[in-house]
Amino acid sequence: MDEKALLDSLRQAATTGSRELDRICEAAAVELIASGVEPPFQVHSADFATDPFLICADRYWRLRFLELPTVDTAARCAQWLTRSAKPEHHTAIAQKWALGYAFITRDTVESAGELTEASGWILQEHRGSAAVAYFATLYHAGKLRANFAFDDLRLFLDSSLLALASDEHRTDPLFVALEAFAAFGSRTITSEHARSLVDKAWTSPARTPQVMDVCLNAFTASAPFEGQGDLLRTRATEAVAEVGDNHIFHFRLATGQRMCRDYAKALDTIDTALRLLPAIGNRGSHQLLQEQYLRERDRIQEGRHLAELSAEQQKRWADQETSNADLRRTLQGSTVRAIELVTVFTAAIAFAVGSLQVTLAGTLPVADRIWMIVTFGIALLVFAMLIIGGTWWITRGRRKP
């Protein structure tokens, strides 16, 4: 391998467009892998978009992890990073690499025995370096997180050799955020304790975008709890306000909006996430993330469709209930009117028949007959009024709207 030619090509790549930059860095990384040589240069920034040396190193270690996805590779990566990058950029690069490489190799989780054996070798080889142990811890924890292995993650962070050897890094906000993720998914830990861990990580002055992402991911991975959607939406809104061009934060926000049934805003937000997702290269695992975002978009569309159907059905039920109420009132009113009409008609017939009998039969004087007819009519009128009044009294409540 011509080291000078490789370095010159990387320097020249800085003046090209993004696609050519991506191609040159990829070719350089492949050449380094083929030669069995680690990147022979220093990294002077944490700019994953334009720094050709960082991009090349990123590609190189990505290929190394895909070839051998173990904590041993993570330890070697951490050692190279400590040796080759400026200290002020260690945290930003290490967190992005550890969690990113864990995501793309999440299907190769090492067994407990393999992990214990590798941990002993790492601690011996690197003389107990807390930074190396912490990077390896983040890498393995990232795999468990990506596989939603909550209890395994909690046990690993609490008692593994690597996690214990991380020493002062155990209080870092990213470590705490991973503990919160495990707690939220566990069925044996209360959501109150999990939320306290999230609050501790979220409010830390050393909070990074990776910390925020793990915290937001914890809300979506959790078993349902009261206020879950609103909490996710609120925190994701803060993250988007802080890092507006981060596609993952827009994805988390869209999920929170969907959980709050704000489908219109959720659709706009997930479209923004898809637009911000890098369309070239594989540094951001474009295809895997795009598949996640498109699934979320489908869920939002489905939720909006179901909400529209539900609203339409509710309207139909309300209209039907109104029609039924009108029909009941109409039937009740008709029944009352019918009873009143029958009562009056019956009284009139009885009066006519009775009056005719009194008029045509008997030997009473005319005055007495008239008095009997009047008395009989008054009695029938009182009877009819009692029937009508009683019917009105009984049905008065049903006639109210």
PDB file of all heavy atoms in Angstrom, residues 39-64:
ATOM      1  N   PRO A  39      -5.886   2.811   9.942  1.00  0.00           N
ATOM      2  CA  PRO A  39      -5.711   4.142   9.340  1.00  0.00           C
ATOM      3  C   PRO A  39      -4.469   4.855   9.867  1.00  0.00           C
ATOM      4  O   PRO A  39      -4.350   5.090  11.082  1.00  0.00           O
ATOM      5  CB  PRO A  39      -6.985   4.872   9.746  1.00  0.00           C
ATOM      6  CG  PRO A  39      -7.995   3.776   9.877  1.00  0.00           C
ATOM      7  CD  PRO A  39      -7.261   2.613  10.436  1.00  0.00           C
ATOM      8  N   PRO A  40      -3.515   5.225   8.990  1.00  0.00           N
ATOM      9  CA  PRO A  40      -2.235   5.808   9.431  1.00  0.00           C
ATOM     10  C   PRO A  40      -2.279   7.338   9.474  1.00  0.00           C
ATOM     11  O   PRO A  40      -1.368   8.001   8.984  1.00  0.00           O
ATOM     12  CB  PRO A  40      -1.281   5.306   8.343  1.00  0.00           C
ATOM     13  CG  PRO A  40      -2.115   5.302   7.110  1.00  0.00           C
ATOM     14  CD  PRO A  40      -3.504   4.943   7.535  1.00  0.00           C
ATOM     15  N   PHE A  41      -3.324   7.894  10.040  1.00  0.00           N
ATOM     16  CA  PHE A  41      -3.436   9.352  10.070  1.00  0.00           C
ATOM     17  C   PHE A  41      -4.173   9.786  11.337  1.00  0.00           C
ATOM     18  O   PHE A  41      -4.750   8.959  12.051  1.00  0.00           O
ATOM     19  CB  PHE A  41      -4.167   9.872   8.827  1.00  0.00           C
ATOM     20  CG  PHE A  41      -5.446   9.144   8.519  1.00  0.00           C
ATOM     21  CD1 PHE A  41      -6.603   9.322   9.273  1.00  0.00           C
ATOM     22  CD2 PHE A  41      -5.503   8.250   7.442  1.00  0.00           C
ATOM     23  CE1 PHE A  41      -7.766   8.651   8.974  1.00  0.00           C
ATOM     24  CE2 PHE A  41      -6.671   7.575   7.141  1.00  0.00           C
ATOM     25  CZ  PHE A  41      -7.820   7.765   7.906  1.00  0.00           C
ATOM     26  N   GLN A  42      -4.117  11.076  11.589  1.00  0.00           N
ATOM     27  CA  GLN A  42      -4.791  11.665  12.737  1.00  0.00           C
ATOM     28  C   GLN A  42      -6.138  12.256  12.293  1.00  0.00           C
ATOM     29  O   GLN A  42      -6.302  12.685  11.155  1.00  0.00           O
ATOM     30  CB  GLN A  42      -3.934  12.774  13.359  1.00  0.00           C
ATOM     31  CG  GLN A  42      -2.595  12.278  13.910  1.00  0.00           C
ATOM     32  CD  GLN A  42      -2.778  11.401  15.132  1.00  0.00           C
ATOM     33  OE1 GLN A  42      -3.407  11.800  16.109  1.00  0.00           O
ATOM     34  NE2 GLN A  42      -2.212  10.199  15.083  1.00  0.00           N
ATOM     35  N   VAL A  43      -7.072  12.258  13.231  1.00  0.00           N
ATOM     36  CA  VAL A  43      -8.386  12.859  12.991  1.00  0.00           C
ATOM     37  C   VAL A  43      -8.478  14.136  13.809  1.00  0.00           C
ATOM     38  O   VAL A  43      -8.267  14.125  15.027  1.00  0.00           O
ATOM     39  CB  VAL A  43      -9.527  11.884  13.378  1.00  0.00           C
ATOM     40  CG1 VAL A  43     -10.878  12.575  13.284  1.00  0.00           C
ATOM     41  CG2 VAL A  43      -9.496  10.657  12.489  1.00  0.00           C
ATOM     42  N   HIS A  44      -8.805  15.238  13.124  1.00  0.00           N
ATOM     43  CA  HIS A  44      -8.773  16.543  13.790  1.00  0.00           C
ATOM     44  C   HIS A  44     -10.155  17.184  13.937  1.00  0.00           C
ATOM     45  O   HIS A  44     -10.253  18.365  14.278  1.00  0.00           O
ATOM     46  CB  HIS A  44      -7.865  17.499  13.012  1.00  0.00           C
ATOM     47  CG  HIS A  44      -6.451  17.012  12.895  1.00  0.00           C
ATOM     48  ND1 HIS A  44      -5.561  17.060  13.952  1.00  0.00           N
ATOM     49  CD2 HIS A  44      -5.780  16.429  11.860  1.00  0.00           C
ATOM     50  CE1 HIS A  44      -4.384  16.551  13.568  1.00  0.00           C
ATOM     51  NE2 HIS A  44      -4.499  16.160  12.311  1.00  0.00           N
ATOM     52  N   SER A  45     -11.219  16.421  13.690  1.00  0.00           N
ATOM     53  CA  SER A  45     -12.563  16.975  13.852  1.00  0.00           C
ATOM     54  C   SER A  45     -13.542  15.843  14.116  1.00  0.00           C
ATOM     55  O   SER A  45     -13.184  14.657  14.050  1.00  0.00           O
ATOM     56  CB  SER A  45     -12.994  17.755  12.602  1.00  0.00           C
ATOM     57  OG  SER A  45     -13.417  16.868  11.574  1.00  0.00           O
ATOM     58  N   ALA A  46     -14.788  16.236  14.417  1.00  0.00           N
ATOM     59  CA  ALA A  46     -15.864  15.256  14.578  1.00  0.00           C
ATOM     60  C   ALA A  46     -16.924  15.484  13.509  1.00  0.00           C
ATOM     61  O   ALA A  46     -18.101  15.186  13.705  1.00  0.00           O
ATOM     62  CB  ALA A  46     -16.477  15.377  15.970  1.00  0.00           C
ATOM     63  N   ASP A  47     -16.464  15.998  12.356  1.00  0.00           N
ATOM     64  CA  ASP A  47     -17.361  16.310  11.245  1.00  0.00           C
ATOM     65  C   ASP A  47     -17.489  15.095  10.329  1.00  0.00           C
ATOM     66  O   ASP A  47     -16.626  14.836   9.498  1.00  0.00           O
ATOM     67  CB  ASP A  47     -16.829  17.518  10.468  1.00  0.00           C
ATOM     68  CG  ASP A  47     -17.774  17.974   9.380  1.00  0.00           C
ATOM     69  OD1 ASP A  47     -18.803  17.299   9.164  1.00  0.00           O
ATOM     70  OD2 ASP A  47     -17.483  19.005   8.741  1.00  0.00           O
ATOM     71  N   PHE A  48     -18.596  14.366  10.480  1.00  0.00           N
ATOM     72  CA  PHE A  48     -18.805  13.164   9.692  1.00  0.00           C
ATOM     73  C   PHE A  48     -19.302  13.457   8.280  1.00  0.00           C
ATOM     74  O   PHE A  48     -19.476  12.538   7.484  1.00  0.00           O
ATOM     75  CB  PHE A  48     -19.813  12.243  10.388  1.00  0.00           C
ATOM     76  CG  PHE A  48     -19.260  11.493  11.562  1.00  0.00           C
ATOM     77  CD1 PHE A  48     -19.233  12.066  12.823  1.00  0.00           C
ATOM     78  CD2 PHE A  48     -18.744  10.215  11.406  1.00  0.00           C
ATOM     79  CE1 PHE A  48     -18.720  11.372  13.913  1.00  0.00           C
ATOM     80  CE2 PHE A  48     -18.228   9.518  12.487  1.00  0.00           C
ATOM     81  CZ  PHE A  48     -18.207  10.100  13.748  1.00  0.00           C
ATOM     82  N   ALA A  49     -19.533  14.721   7.971  1.00  0.00           N
ATOM     83  CA  ALA A  49     -20.067  15.065   6.657  1.00  0.00           C
ATOM     84  C   ALA A  49     -18.991  15.500   5.675  1.00  0.00           C
ATOM     85  O   ALA A  49     -19.084  15.207   4.478  1.00  0.00           O
ATOM     86  CB  ALA A  49     -21.119  16.170   6.788  1.00  0.00           C
ATOM     87  N   THR A  50     -17.931  16.176   6.163  1.00  0.00           N
ATOM     88  CA  THR A  50     -16.960  16.755   5.222  1.00  0.00           C
ATOM     89  C   THR A  50     -15.510  16.393   5.502  1.00  0.00           C
ATOM     90  O   THR A  50     -14.655  16.614   4.652  1.00  0.00           O
ATOM     91  CB  THR A  50     -17.089  18.292   5.218  1.00  0.00           C
ATOM     92  OG1 THR A  50     -16.768  18.801   6.525  1.00  0.00           O
ATOM     93  CG2 THR A  50     -18.503  18.735   4.844  1.00  0.00           C
ATOM     94  N   ASP A  51     -15.186  15.873   6.671  1.00  0.00           N
ATOM     95  CA  ASP A  51     -13.802  15.541   6.999  1.00  0.00           C
ATOM     96  C   ASP A  51     -13.438  14.193   6.367  1.00  0.00           C
ATOM     97  O   ASP A  51     -13.893  13.137   6.827  1.00  0.00           O
ATOM     98  CB  ASP A  51     -13.621  15.478   8.511  1.00  0.00           C
ATOM     99  CG  ASP A  51     -12.156  15.257   8.910  1.00  0.00           C
ATOM    100  OD1 ASP A  51     -11.343  14.898   8.040  1.00  0.00           O
ATOM    101  OD2 ASP A  51     -11.847  15.433  10.105  1.00  0.00           O
ATOM    102  N   PRO A  52     -12.612  14.172   5.322  1.00  0.00           N
ATOM    103  CA  PRO A  52     -12.319  12.912   4.628  1.00  0.00           C
ATOM    104  C   PRO A  52     -11.591  11.907   5.503  1.00  0.00           C
ATOM    105  O   PRO A  52     -11.764  10.688   5.345  1.00  0.00           O
ATOM    106  CB  PRO A  52     -11.465  13.350   3.436  1.00  0.00           C
ATOM    107  CG  PRO A  52     -10.877  14.660   3.838  1.00  0.00           C
ATOM    108  CD  PRO A  52     -11.899  15.319   4.710  1.00  0.00           C
ATOM    109  N   PHE A  53     -10.765  12.385   6.421  1.00  0.00           N
ATOM    110  CA  PHE A  53     -10.015  11.460   7.267  1.00  0.00           C
ATOM    111  C   PHE A  53     -10.945  10.760   8.262  1.00  0.00           C
ATOM    112  O   PHE A  53     -10.822   9.545   8.494  1.00  0.00           O
ATOM    113  CB  PHE A  53      -8.885  12.201   7.983  1.00  0.00           C
ATOM    114  CG  PHE A  53      -7.839  12.730   7.054  1.00  0.00           C
ATOM    115  CD1 PHE A  53      -7.878  14.050   6.614  1.00  0.00           C
ATOM    116  CD2 PHE A  53      -6.827  11.913   6.573  1.00  0.00           C
ATOM    117  CE1 PHE A  53      -6.914  14.533   5.733  1.00  0.00           C
ATOM    118  CE2 PHE A  53      -5.865  12.373   5.701  1.00  0.00           C
ATOM    119  CZ  PHE A  53      -5.911  13.700   5.274  1.00  0.00           C
ATOM    120  N   LEU A  54     -11.880  11.513   8.841  1.00  0.00           N
ATOM    121  CA  LEU A  54     -12.838  10.891   9.751  1.00  0.00           C
ATOM    122  C   LEU A  54     -13.771   9.949   8.997  1.00  0.00           C
ATOM    123  O   LEU A  54     -14.087   8.851   9.478  1.00  0.00           O
ATOM    124  CB  LEU A  54     -13.655  11.970  10.480  1.00  0.00           C
ATOM    125  CG  LEU A  54     -14.724  11.452  11.441  1.00  0.00           C
ATOM    126  CD1 LEU A  54     -14.123  10.546  12.506  1.00  0.00           C
ATOM    127  CD2 LEU A  54     -15.471  12.616  12.088  1.00  0.00           C
ATOM    128  N   ILE A  55     -14.207  10.349   7.816  1.00  0.00           N
ATOM    129  CA  ILE A  55     -15.096   9.503   7.023  1.00  0.00           C
ATOM    130  C   ILE A  55     -14.384   8.205   6.640  1.00  0.00           C
ATOM    131  O   ILE A  55     -14.955   7.107   6.728  1.00  0.00           O
ATOM    132  CB  ILE A  55     -15.570  10.242   5.765  1.00  0.00           C
ATOM    133  CG1 ILE A  55     -16.418  11.453   6.148  1.00  0.00           C
ATOM    134  CG2 ILE A  55     -16.376   9.301   4.865  1.00  0.00           C
ATOM    135  CD1 ILE A  55     -16.779  12.343   4.974  1.00  0.00           C
ATOM    136  N   CYS A  56     -13.136   8.312   6.235  1.00  0.00           N
ATOM    137  CA  CYS A  56     -12.363   7.120   5.877  1.00  0.00           C
ATOM    138  C   CYS A  56     -12.199   6.204   7.085  1.00  0.00           C
ATOM    139  O   CYS A  56     -12.370   4.979   6.978  1.00  0.00           O
ATOM    140  CB  CYS A  56     -11.001   7.529   5.326  1.00  0.00           C
ATOM    141  SG  CYS A  56      -9.943   6.121   4.901  1.00  0.00           S
ATOM    142  N   ALA A  57     -11.859   6.783   8.243  1.00  0.00           N
ATOM    143  CA  ALA A  57     -11.717   5.975   9.456  1.00  0.00           C
ATOM    144  C   ALA A  57     -13.046   5.320   9.824  1.00  0.00           C
ATOM    145  O   ALA A  57     -13.083   4.146  10.237  1.00  0.00           O
ATOM    146  CB  ALA A  57     -11.224   6.857  10.603  1.00  0.00           C
ATOM    147  N   ASP A  58     -14.119   6.064   9.647  1.00  0.00           N
ATOM    148  CA  ASP A  58     -15.444   5.531   9.931  1.00  0.00           C
ATOM    149  C   ASP A  58     -15.739   4.324   9.037  1.00  0.00           C
ATOM    150  O   ASP A  58     -16.221   3.283   9.494  1.00  0.00           O
ATOM    151  CB  ASP A  58     -16.474   6.645   9.722  1.00  0.00           C
ATOM    152  CG  ASP A  58     -17.874   6.218  10.098  1.00  0.00           C
ATOM    153  OD1 ASP A  58     -18.011   5.307  10.928  1.00  0.00           O
ATOM    154  OD2 ASP A  58     -18.838   6.801   9.562  1.00  0.00           O
ATOM    155  N   ARG A  59     -15.440   4.472   7.747  1.00  0.00           N
ATOM    156  CA  ARG A  59     -15.669   3.371   6.814  1.00  0.00           C
ATOM    157  C   ARG A  59     -14.786   2.174   7.154  1.00  0.00           C
ATOM    158  O   ARG A  59     -15.199   1.019   7.058  1.00  0.00           O
ATOM    159  CB  ARG A  59     -15.386   3.832   5.388  1.00  0.00           C
ATOM    160  CG  ARG A  59     -16.358   4.867   4.870  1.00  0.00           C
ATOM    161  CD  ARG A  59     -17.794   4.347   4.942  1.00  0.00           C
ATOM    162  NE  ARG A  59     -18.717   5.291   4.363  1.00  0.00           N
ATOM    163  CZ  ARG A  59     -19.003   5.376   3.071  1.00  0.00           C
ATOM    164  NH1 ARG A  59     -18.388   4.565   2.221  1.00  0.00           N
ATOM    165  NH2 ARG A  59     -19.875   6.262   2.640  1.00  0.00           N
ATOM    166  N   TYR A  60     -13.540   2.469   7.504  1.00  0.00           N
ATOM    167  CA  TYR A  60     -12.598   1.390   7.825  1.00  0.00           C
ATOM    168  C   TYR A  60     -13.116   0.567   9.005  1.00  0.00           C
ATOM    169  O   TYR A  60     -13.185  -0.669   8.917  1.00  0.00           O
ATOM    170  CB  TYR A  60     -11.218   1.970   8.148  1.00  0.00           C
ATOM    171  CG  TYR A  60     -10.266   0.948   8.729  1.00  0.00           C
ATOM    172  CD1 TYR A  60      -9.525   0.103   7.909  1.00  0.00           C
ATOM    173  CD2 TYR A  60     -10.113   0.826  10.115  1.00  0.00           C
ATOM    174  CE1 TYR A  60      -8.667  -0.843   8.448  1.00  0.00           C
ATOM    175  CE2 TYR A  60      -9.257  -0.114  10.661  1.00  0.00           C
ATOM    176  CZ  TYR A  60      -8.533  -0.949   9.822  1.00  0.00           C
ATOM    177  OH  TYR A  60      -7.689  -1.890  10.363  1.00  0.00           O
ATOM    178  N   TRP A  61     -13.489   1.245  10.102  1.00  0.00           N
ATOM    179  CA  TRP A  61     -13.919   0.508  11.285  1.00  0.00           C
ATOM    180  C   TRP A  61     -15.288  -0.145  11.073  1.00  0.00           C
ATOM    181  O   TRP A  61     -15.570  -1.199  11.646  1.00  0.00           O
ATOM    182  CB  TRP A  61     -13.922   1.423  12.509  1.00  0.00           C
ATOM    183  CG  TRP A  61     -12.530   1.686  12.991  1.00  0.00           C
ATOM    184  CD1 TRP A  61     -11.822   2.845  12.904  1.00  0.00           C
ATOM    185  CD2 TRP A  61     -11.650   0.727  13.596  1.00  0.00           C
ATOM    186  NE1 TRP A  61     -10.552   2.677  13.411  1.00  0.00           N
ATOM    187  CE2 TRP A  61     -10.418   1.393  13.851  1.00  0.00           C
ATOM    188  CE3 TRP A  61     -11.765  -0.619  13.945  1.00  0.00           C
ATOM    189  CZ2 TRP A  61      -9.335   0.748  14.449  1.00  0.00           C
ATOM    190  CZ3 TRP A  61     -10.689  -1.262  14.540  1.00  0.00           C
ATOM    191  CH2 TRP A  61      -9.484  -0.586  14.778  1.00  0.00           C
ATOM    192  N   ARG A  62     -16.088   0.434  10.243  1.00  0.00           N
ATOM    193  CA  ARG A  62     -17.357  -0.215   9.908  1.00  0.00           C
ATOM    194  C   ARG A  62     -17.099  -1.567   9.247  1.00  0.00           C
ATOM    195  O   ARG A  62     -17.735  -2.577   9.591  1.00  0.00           O
ATOM    196  CB  ARG A  62     -18.182   0.684   8.982  1.00  0.00           C
ATOM    197  CG  ARG A  62     -19.561   0.139   8.640  1.00  0.00           C
ATOM    198  CD  ARG A  62     -20.304   1.101   7.726  1.00  0.00           C
ATOM    199  NE  ARG A  62     -21.688   0.686   7.558  1.00  0.00           N
ATOM    200  CZ  ARG A  62     -22.120  -0.214   6.698  1.00  0.00           C
ATOM    201  NH1 ARG A  62     -21.232  -0.823   5.906  1.00  0.00           N
ATOM    202  NH2 ARG A  62     -23.392  -0.534   6.610  1.00  0.00           N
ATOM    203  N   LEU A  63     -16.161  -1.599   8.301  1.00  0.00           N
ATOM    204  CA  LEU A  63     -15.818  -2.859   7.636  1.00  0.00           C
ATOM    205  C   LEU A  63     -15.205  -3.851   8.625  1.00  0.00           C
ATOM    206  O   LEU A  63     -15.475  -5.057   8.549  1.00  0.00           O
ATOM    207  CB  LEU A  63     -14.853  -2.588   6.482  1.00  0.00           C
ATOM    208  CG  LEU A  63     -15.428  -1.791   5.299  1.00  0.00           C
ATOM    209  CD1 LEU A  63     -14.319  -1.424   4.313  1.00  0.00           C
ATOM    210  CD2 LEU A  63     -16.529  -2.583   4.604  1.00  0.00           C
ATOM    211  N   ARG A  64     -14.400  -3.344   9.545  1.00  0.00           N
ATOM    212  CA  ARG A  64     -13.800  -4.228  10.550  1.00  0.00           C
ATOM    213  C   ARG A  64     -14.885  -4.867  11.434  1.00  0.00           C
ATOM    214  O   ARG A  64     -14.818  -6.077  11.739  1.00  0.00           O
ATOM    215  CB  ARG A  64     -12.829  -3.430  11.427  1.00  0.00           C
ATOM    216  CG  ARG A  64     -11.494  -3.078  10.770  1.00  0.00           C
ATOM    217  CD  ARG A  64     -10.549  -4.281  10.704  1.00  0.00           C
ATOM    218  NE  ARG A  64     -10.210  -4.813  12.007  1.00  0.00           N
ATOM    219  CZ  ARG A  64      -9.170  -4.396  12.755  1.00  0.00           C
ATOM    220  NH1 ARG A  64      -8.368  -3.431  12.295  1.00  0.00           N
ATOM    221  NH2 ARG A  64      -8.913  -4.944  13.917  1.00  0.00           N
TER     222      ARG A  64
END
